[in-house]
Amino acid sequence: VTSDGRSLNARDHGRERDSVTERWLSPQRLVHYRSNWYLDTWCHRRRALRSFSLDRLHVVAVEGDAKEVATEKLDRHFATAYGIFAGEPKYTAVLRFTSAAARWVADEQWHPQQESRVLEDGSVELHLPYSDPRELIMDILKYGAEVEVLRPTPLRQDVAKRLRLALETYDRH
């Protein structure tokens, strides 16, 4: 990581596709999130703000001057959606937790702009902004039968599909 305003030529090994991509990056800031370090950057290849896990990034060369992005723009992009997957929120997840799970959920902050309300039966309804569902789905799955995705439908369907696949794994053994 360069602190002198220089850009980087780097190779990123993406976990999801298990492929290496060469990128020209203008580093903006380092972020420590869930025991990992991430580099928030301007990606010249995508012409967009992106975040890269440092353990998956190999710097090939330090290049020319880095593009500077205003802190307000970085915050708007990286801090408004759910988890490490950034971007302006496109959706709002509506989750209903059972009264048993509500005791834990009530003390958790899933997102700074979350909205929650306690229902008559003691369950909790949580509204969360997100743009990319991957990390949100992992957090939902931690609660198993103690949570139901009410909206949006594609998120509900994805969580249901993953739960069915998990059940198939257990049914095979």
Side-chain angles (χ1 to χ4, degrees), residues 2 6 23 34 42 53 78 100 107 129 140 155 172:
T2 177
R6 310 270 310 208
R23 299 181 183 276
R34 292 190 178 188
W42 175 264
S53 180
F78 288 112
D107 293 334
I140 291 168
L155 179 63
R172 282 195 300 262

Side-chain angles (χ1 to χ4, degrees), residues 62-123:
V62 177
E63 302 274 328
D65 292 337
K67 173 185 173 102
E68 278 190 54
V69 178
T71 302
E72 298 79 26
K73 184 173 182 177
L74 292 172
D75 289 343
R76 219 175 22 257
H77 180 79
F78 288 112
T80 55
Y82 188 83
I84 198 65
F85 297 106
E88 298 270 341
K90 300 175 193 163
Y91 315 101
T92 299
V94 180
L95 313 176
R96 184 184 314 138
F97 293 86
T98 64
S99 57
R103 287 175 258 164
W104 283 271
V105 174
D107 293 334
E108 295 177 347
Q109 183 181 28
W110 287 45
H111 189 278
Q113 280 82 45
Q114 74 186 32
E115 294 177 19
S116 63
R117 65 185 180 114
V118 178
L119 304 177
E120 283 186 29
D121 63 358
S123 62

Side-chain angles (χ1 to χ4, degrees), residues 128-166:
L128 300 162
Y130 73 98
S131 74
D132 185 311
R134 289 177 284 180
E135 186 174 354
L136 178 57
I137 289 170
M138 289 188 288
D139 288 341
I140 291 168
L141 291 174
K142 290 190 308 190
Y143 282 90
E146 301 295 318
V147 62
E148 179 183 4
V149 177
L150 302 177
R151 296 188 295 279
T153 300
L155 179 63
R156 180 181 173 89
Q157 291 169 336
D158 199 358
V159 169
K161 176 183 174 186
R162 289 168 191 252
L163 288 169
R164 282 191 295 277
L165 290 170

Side-chain angles (χ1 to χ4, degrees), residues 35-71:
S35 301
N36 287 315
W37 285 98
Y38 294 87
L39 181 63
D40 289 347
T41 72
W42 175 264
C43 177
H44 294 270
R45 179 181 183 178
R46 297 282 185 193
R47 295 186 186 101
L49 290 168
R50 302 288 298 268
S51 188
F52 296 94
S53 180
L54 282 185
D55 67 332
R56 312 300 280 184
L57 203 59
H58 174 74
V59 176
V60 177
V62 177
E63 302 274 328
D65 292 337
K67 173 185 173 102
E68 278 190 54
V69 178
T71 302

